[in-house]
Amino acid sequence: MNRLTSLVRAQLSGEVLGERTPVAALAMQVVISALLCAVVRGEVGGYGYAIFALCLPLALTTVPLLGELAPLLRADPASEWVGALPVTPRDLRLSRVVTLLLIMGALAAASLVPAALLAPDTIGLAERPLLVVMGVLQTWAVAAGLLLLQVALGRGGDTFMVALQTLLFVAIMIGALVGLRSLAILADVEGPTGPWLLLPPAWFSAPFAAAGPGMAGAMAAGAVLLAAIVLALAPFPPAPRARSTRSVLGTLLTPARLLAERLWVTREERGAFGLVYEALPAERDFVVRTYPLVAAPLLLVLLGADASTTEGEGLYALLLFAPGAYLPFVLMHVPTSATPAARWVVDTAPTDPLDEDRGARKAVAVRLLLPLYLAMGGLVAALASPALALRLWPLALASGLLALKVLWRQGGPRPLSTKAQELLNAGENGLGGDLLTVAIAMTLLAAVSWQKLPSSGPGWALLGAMALIAMAGAARSRARSS
């Protein structure tokens, strides 16, 4: 028992205790849960409220489990070192499972405790702790399911997991936008019947049904039993291994890269440009935190933007400018790396930090911003109007490149230099202000451009002027260095 306690304490210290404790994330979950439950509690019955309450931890823990908490579902990178200690493999596995259960239980409780405190009178005081217990069991079952999925996918499942995270991200945002308008549906639900039996929150809410648990209760018990078997017997998937940086998108962007290296990137910046261009998209921690954000602008389309109406055309205009709105979050993760110790190769090279900064910024522009804006432009041209896309796309791209230059913080953490957990704790303080400022600026710019910009001329002229200025600056740098 002492060995297990020591192992769990050490693993918790490495994951969430001390400076790594996600205080801001937990507080945000408490606030979100309290606000939503305060709105819902008077609109639905006991069973409907329980379903709603259990949807909150399902949404707020599943996406992190696919993203920043994904290492919890993988093999411990320090397993060989810990295995040299006087402990048994059974102790190591049990400590890993206990650590996972404690962390996921704490995350779930952050949204479940406010939900239990604000439960309607139809849920008695004695039943409210049961709401927290059922929510925690649901969270553990989901964690076991994702563990089993990663075991089945093996080392090649990263792309699928990112796609799954993106789909869940979209589903959560759609639910947040339209869910409160559908409370009448939950108000009429008194028990788990029909389509409700397809939803895990309906299973774990079965104790609060008017007619008793029934089939849903049996399904919840089966899910918990299966989760216990998976956590007890299934191997943790292996840690990610090195993989090729080649991709279809990288191949398609080769002409843009060659053109940038010929006309824009100076000789001194080329090393940092190539490193960030090739390595950053191969960093799993960067991909799972930033790529799902691409789905956020697509919500404007999924929610029914109709280009034949004035309001619909305005939504498509916002779609074109949307990538710049979450640029601060993307830039915050540029220093992300699973192997920051490998930075010594760059740190010992005779490279000026300013050249490294400029090269990395230009790599982000070509490798991340350019394909995003091309995709958004093509989407608007296909779904709305080619004329609208051609009129606004140049200004949208120019505004994104300008925002990249303004937001890039020289002297900050070097690219590919910091573990994601440390980076998030260090950077989250100023992130909210940047996100809000850029989002407001991009929204205003989209609205003004859509209303005032002529059908041709200024947008392309601005983009061309920026390109000429950039090429002239690169030419001067080459002349000084020769």
Side-chain angles (χ1 to χ4, degrees):
M1 188 63 183
N2 289 334
R3 294 195 303 268
L4 177 61
T5 303
S6 298
L7 287 171
V8 171
R9 185 184 298 115
Q11 289 175 348
L12 287 175
S13 298
E15 296 288 352
V16 296
L17 295 184
E19 294 181 355
R20 297 175 182 268
T21 303
V23 177
L26 292 174
M28 182 61 69
Q29 290 196 25
V30 171
V31 171
I32 291 173
S33 177
L35 289 175
L36 292 176
C37 291
V39 172
V40 171
R41 65 188 304 268
E43 304 293 330
V44 297
Y47 183 69
Y49 180 86
I51 292 178
F52 182 87
L54 294 190
C55 283
L56 296 177
L58 187 65
L60 296 173
T61 58
T62 304
V63 172
L65 263 179
L66 292 168
E68 56 266 27
L69 295 178
L72 290 175
L73 300 178
R74 289 188 173 274
D76 186 355
S79 59
E80 293 183 0
W81 180 84
V82 178
L85 299 174
V87 293
T88 66
R90 178 177 175 275
D91 293 331
L92 292 175
R93 177 173 183 83
L94 188 56
S95 67
R96 186 85 175 155
V97 171
V98 171
T99 301
L100 171 63
L101 296 182
L102 287 175
I103 293 176
M104 297 313 302
L107 287 174
S111 58
L112 289 167
V113 171
L117 294 174
L118 293 169
D121 295 337
T122 49
I123 297 179
L125 292 176
E127 295 178 305
R128 297 185 185 190
L130 181 60
L131 183 65
V132 178
V133 172
M134 297 305 291
V136 171
L137 289 176
Q138 174 189 259
T139 302
W140 288 347
V142 170
L146 291 177
L147 170 61
L148 188 61
L149 179 62
Q150 291 202 46
V151 171
L153 293 174
R155 294 185 184 271
D158 283 353
T159 302
F160 178 83
M161 299 302 282
V162 171
L164 178 60
Q165 185 186 18
T166 303
L167 290 175
L168 288 173
F169 183 75
V170 171
I172 290 170
M173 293 195 70
I174 293 176
L177 290 173
V178 304
L180 293 179
R181 304 175 190 173
S182 307
L183 291 180
I185 299 175
L186 280 179
D188 296 332
V189 178
E190 296 182 355
T193 58
W196 292 103
L197 287 175
L198 300 175
L199 302 177
W203 309 344
F204 289 88
S205 300
F208 305 96
M215 177 63 71
M219 295 174 73
V224 172
L225 178 61
L226 178 61
I229 294 173
V230 169
L231 292 173
L233 301 178
F236 282 90
R241 63 182 177 184
R243 55 194 177 92
S244 174
T245 59
R246 293 180 180 178
S247 65
V248 175
L249 180 59
T251 302
L252 293 175
L253 288 174
T254 298
R257 175 184 182 174
L258 295 176
L259 189 63
E261 289 179 335
R262 181 73 179 89
L263 300 177
W264 188 23
V265 182
T266 66
R267 184 177 62 184
E268 293 79 8
E269 300 165 357
R270 193 163 295 172
F273 177 88
L275 174 66
V276 174
Y277 184 96
E278 295 286 357
L280 193 61
E283 288 285 351
R284 185 181 189 276
D285 288 335
F286 175 81
V287 170
V288 298
R289 285 167 171 81
T290 57
Y291 280 25
L293 292 176
V294 176
L298 300 181
L299 285 174
L300 299 174
V301 178
L302 293 175
L303 291 176
D306 186 357
S308 63
T309 65
T310 302
E311 295 80 2
E313 190 177 83
L315 286 176
Y316 280 111
L318 286 174
L319 180 64
L320 283 170
F321 285 81
Y326 52 81
L327 188 57
F329 192 84
V330 174
L331 293 184
M332 190 190 79
H333 288 90
V334 169
T336 298
S337 176
T339 55
R343 271 277 319 180
W344 71 269
V345 177
V346 180
D347 293 337
T348 56
T351 303
D352 190 317
L354 291 179
D355 291 330
E356 183 184 354
D357 265 336
R358 288 192 289 264
R361 173 170 54 82
K362 293 174 182 179
V364 170
V366 177
R367 189 65 173 83
L368 299 176
L369 270 191
L370 179 61
L372 263 180
Y373 279 103
L374 286 173
M376 296 304 168
L379 191 64
V380 171
L383 298 179
S385 161
L388 179 66
L390 288 173
R391 179 162 65 97
L392 298 182
W393 184 83
L395 185 59
L397 176 60
S399 66
L401 294 173
L402 183 60
L404 174 63
K405 185 174 180 62
V406 171
L407 292 171
W408 190 274
R409 294 175 179 173
Q410 293 186 351
R414 304 260 68 82
L416 305 166
S417 66
T418 311
K419 283 190 174 294
Q421 295 88 342
E422 299 172 5
L423 187 65
L424 186 61
N425 292 335
E428 63 185 0
N429 292 333
L431 176 63
D434 287 344
L435 277 172
L436 182 61
T437 301
V438 177
I440 292 174
M442 289 296 172
T443 301
L444 292 176
L445 184 58
V448 171
S449 302
W450 169 53
Q451 293 285 351
K452 305 297 183 182
L453 194 68
S455 59
S456 62
W460 290 100
L462 176 60
L463 187 58
M466 290 182 64
L468 289 174
I469 292 172
M471 288 187 291
R476 287 196 299 270
S477 297
R478 289 190 181 94
R480 286 196 299 268
S481 61
S482 60

